[in-house]
């Protein structure tokens, strides 16, 4: 009986695969988009999955073609051991800490990156942990019905033979990214870097409708400002917050692409890929410049709105002041005529009292004198008030 040939245990083989260096980004090449093949199976959206399901899709690829659809991450790890050049792509939607912990053990994921993926609410970044890349991206989509921007967070763990995507929101729709790559086996055969390329491209492309939606909102706000809408100040503030959050999502992408570009010479990336990444970087710059323009435009709109509000308030105060002055003029006229009429009334009241012993009561010139006194006082008061423009 021939002696048994020693076989290395599967654990040691897996450990050697984990220690293998991450393939260079130079394996990527710029390829045109093609129409999706009808034979590619449809991957259900996260909203269509049962509540208990966390794994949106799980596939193992060989030479860019799906060769297995495992039911668990453990089976995916076993499929990878069946042949060289295989890639496992696991897509998760809002996984819990236990599930991510299991994946961390199976694929030797960095602990700090796993903690970030569990907690979420991270800023976009690019980090390298040995042979594993960890990328955080912020996706965005414009909701036409609500006229607001919804932001999503995406985490990617990329190794030599695996790609793990973790989503914490509906956006972006990675099922479309997967279908696109599956329709281009030659591109998917490049490895996990192809997944990073496709996801980054999808996130940047998703910013364009958001930019258009924000531009339309700003145009509407400008109309409302000059129309005097009282609620426009609140809308300006809310839109400014969305623009700032969008800026925080898009601006770090320039740094992520720069970090990828910094490794080109080290990994010998060809000029074709460098040109492609420059194109992606240009798209990011265009988005960030427009978003910065939105921020400045909203600041100017807020200043103009404050000026218009102040002008309207000044106009209202002026109208109130004019009304108060007009009322004062009327009060002065009434007061002047009341004073004029009060003098003869006072004289007539005194001499109208029924007393026998009163000065000049039986004097023949008393009545004419009283009339002359009343007329003289009234004319004098009229002249005084007329000179002071009270009448």
């Amino acid at each position: 009986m021939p002696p048994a040939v020693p076989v290395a245990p599967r654990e040691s083989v897996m450990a050697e695969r984990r220690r293998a260096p991450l393939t260079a980004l130079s394996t990527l090449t710029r390829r045109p988009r093609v129409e999706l093949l009808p034979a590619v199976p449809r991957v259900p959206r996260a909203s269509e999955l049962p509540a208990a399901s966390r794994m949106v899709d799980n596939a193992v690829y060989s030479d860019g073609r799906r060769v297995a659809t495992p039911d668990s991450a453990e089976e995916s790890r076993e499929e990878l051991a069946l042949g060289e050049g295989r890639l496992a792509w696991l897509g998760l939607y809002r996984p819990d800490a236990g599930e991510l912990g299991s994946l961390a053990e199976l694929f030797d994921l960095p602990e700090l990156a796993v903690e970030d993926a569990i907690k979420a609410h991270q800023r976009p970044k690019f980090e390298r942990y040995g042979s594993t890349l960890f990328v955080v991206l912020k996706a965005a989509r414009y909701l036409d019905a609500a006229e607001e921007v919804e932001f999503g967070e995406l985490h990617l763990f990329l190794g030599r033979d695996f790609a793990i995507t973790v989503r914490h929101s509906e956006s972006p729709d990675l099922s479309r990214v997967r279908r696109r790559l599956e329709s281009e086996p030659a591109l998917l055969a490049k490895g996990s870097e192809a997944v990073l390329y496709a996801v980054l491209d999808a996130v940047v492309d998703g910013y364009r409708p958001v930019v258009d939606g924000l531009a339309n909102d700003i145009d509407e706000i400008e109309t409302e400002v000059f129309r005097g809408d009282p609620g426009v100040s609140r809308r300006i503030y809310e839109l400014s917050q969305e623009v700032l959050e969008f800026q925080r999502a898009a601006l770090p992408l320039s740094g992520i692409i720069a970090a990828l570009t910094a490794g080109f010479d080290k990994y010998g990336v060809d000029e074709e890929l460098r040109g492609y990444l420059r194109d992606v970087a240009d798209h990011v710059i265009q988005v960030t410049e427009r978003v910065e323009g939105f921020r400045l435009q909203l600041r100017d709109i807020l200043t103009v709105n404050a000026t218009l509000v102040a002008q309207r308030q000044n106009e209202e105060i002026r109208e109130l002041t004019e009304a108060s002055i007009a009322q004062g003029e009327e009060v002065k006229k009434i007061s002047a005529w009341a004073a004029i009429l009060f003098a003869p009334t006072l004289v007539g009241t005194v001499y109208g009292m029924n007393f026998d012993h009163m000065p000049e009561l039986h004097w023949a010139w008393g009545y004419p004198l009283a009339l002359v006194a009343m007329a003289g006082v009234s004319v004098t008061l009229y002249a005084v008030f007329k000179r002071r423009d009270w009448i």
Side-chain angles (χ1 to χ4, degrees):
M1 181 175 180
V5 178
V7 180
R10 185 170 61 89
E11 291 77 4
S12 62
V13 174
M14 293 171 58
E16 291 296 329
R17 292 168 65 88
R18 293 179 189 138
R19 287 194 293 267
L22 188 64
T23 55
L25 286 176
S26 59
T27 57
L28 282 178
T29 57
R30 181 60 171 173
R31 295 177 177 269
R33 297 181 181 269
V34 298
E35 296 295 331
L36 300 181
L37 298 178
V40 177
R42 177 182 178 275
V43 179
R45 294 172 60 88
S47 57
E48 301 172 350
L49 296 173
S53 177
R54 304 285 182 176
M55 189 79 69
V56 178
D57 198 3
N58 183 8
V60 175
Y61 301 91
S62 178
D63 294 328
R65 301 185 182 278
R66 185 185 291 233
V67 295
T69 305
D71 295 327
S72 64
E74 290 80 3
E75 293 182 11
S76 297
R77 187 77 264 184
E78 294 174 357
E79 288 287 341
L80 291 177
L82 298 179
E84 293 294 333
R86 290 196 169 195
L87 172 70
W89 184 358
L90 295 84
L92 292 87
Y93 177 73
R94 291 182 178 175
D96 54 27
E99 189 166 7
L100 277 180
S102 300
L103 288 175
E105 295 180 359
L106 286 171
F107 294 94
D108 194 21
L109 303 181
E111 181 179 353
L112 294 178
V114 173
E115 291 179 0
D116 290 343
I118 293 174
K119 296 178 181 178
H121 303 292
Q122 304 293 320
R123 297 197 65 182
K125 60 182 178 179
F126 170 86
E127 295 177 347
R128 182 183 295 275
Y129 296 90
S131 62
T132 302
L133 298 181
F134 177 62
V135 183
V136 179
L137 301 175
K138 285 281 190 178
R141 65 173 180 172
Y142 185 80
L143 304 179
D144 292 323
E147 291 188 343
E148 62 182 21
V149 182
E150 180 184 75
F151 296 93
E153 189 168 334
L154 175 64
H155 301 243
L156 293 89
F157 297 90
L158 305 170
R160 184 180 63 85
D161 57 359
F162 68 87
I164 301 174
T165 56
V166 179
R167 286 191 297 124
H168 292 275
S169 62
E170 289 293 333
S171 177
D173 184 5
L174 293 186
S175 61
R176 298 179 59 185
V177 177
R178 187 186 290 265
R179 288 196 300 269
R180 177 206 166 189
L181 286 177
E182 289 181 348
S183 68
E184 300 180 71
L187 178 59
L188 186 55
K190 305 298 182 181
S192 60
E193 297 88 349
V195 177
L196 174 60
Y197 144 68
V199 172
L200 183 61
D201 187 46
V203 169
V204 174
D205 287 346
Y207 287 160
R208 297 177 183 175
V210 178
V211 170
D212 295 338
L214 290 175
N216 184 67
D217 287 345
I218 292 176
D219 292 340
E220 293 179 355
I221 283 179
E222 288 180 338
T223 302
E224 294 175 359
V225 165
F226 291 100
R227 193 172 54 194
D229 192 332
V232 70
S233 297
R234 180 182 182 87
R235 190 178 180 192
I236 293 174
Y237 174 78
E238 293 175 349
L239 188 57
S240 298
Q241 295 303 309
E242 288 184 352
V243 169
L244 287 176
E245 190 170 356
F246 188 27
Q247 192 174 40
R248 287 193 290 266
L251 192 59
L253 289 183
S254 298
I256 292 176
I257 296 177
L260 292 172
T261 306
F264 282 173
D265 293 335
K266 179 178 180 180
Y267 294 108
V269 180
D270 58 24
E271 290 298 328
E272 184 177 1
L273 178 58
R274 298 187 184 193
Y276 158 70
L277 288 178
R278 281 195 297 267
D279 181 64
V280 176
D282 288 341
H283 292 165
V284 174
I285 292 174
Q286 292 174 9
V287 171
T288 54
E289 286 180 349
R290 291 203 63 184
V291 173
E292 176 64 15
F294 290 160
R295 188 183 67 83
L296 297 177
Q297 189 175 359
L298 285 170
R299 185 189 64 183
D300 295 339
I301 291 175
L302 187 61
T303 302
V304 171
N305 181 65
T307 303
L308 295 176
V309 169
Q311 290 179 350
R312 286 193 293 267
Q313 290 177 346
N314 292 337
E315 184 67 21
E316 293 175 357
I317 293 174
R318 185 184 64 81
E319 293 176 356
L320 291 174
T321 302
E322 290 178 353
S324 177
I325 292 174
Q327 291 177 354
E329 293 296 326
E330 295 298 327
V331 170
K332 288 194 296 182
K333 292 180 181 180
I334 294 173
S335 300
W337 285 111
I340 292 173
L341 296 175
F342 175 74
T345 301
L346 178 61
V347 176
T349 302
V350 172
Y351 279 90
M353 292 186 293
N354 297 322
F355 292 99
D356 292 334
H357 303 286
M358 289 184 63
E360 312 299 339
L361 187 61
H362 300 286
W363 186 38
W365 297 98
Y367 178 69
L369 182 60
L371 293 178
V372 171
M374 287 187 289
V377 173
S378 298
V379 170
T380 301
L381 290 176
Y382 179 83
V384 172
F385 292 143
K386 187 68 174 177
R387 180 177 298 176
R388 296 184 179 183
D389 293 331
W390 280 38
I391 297 178

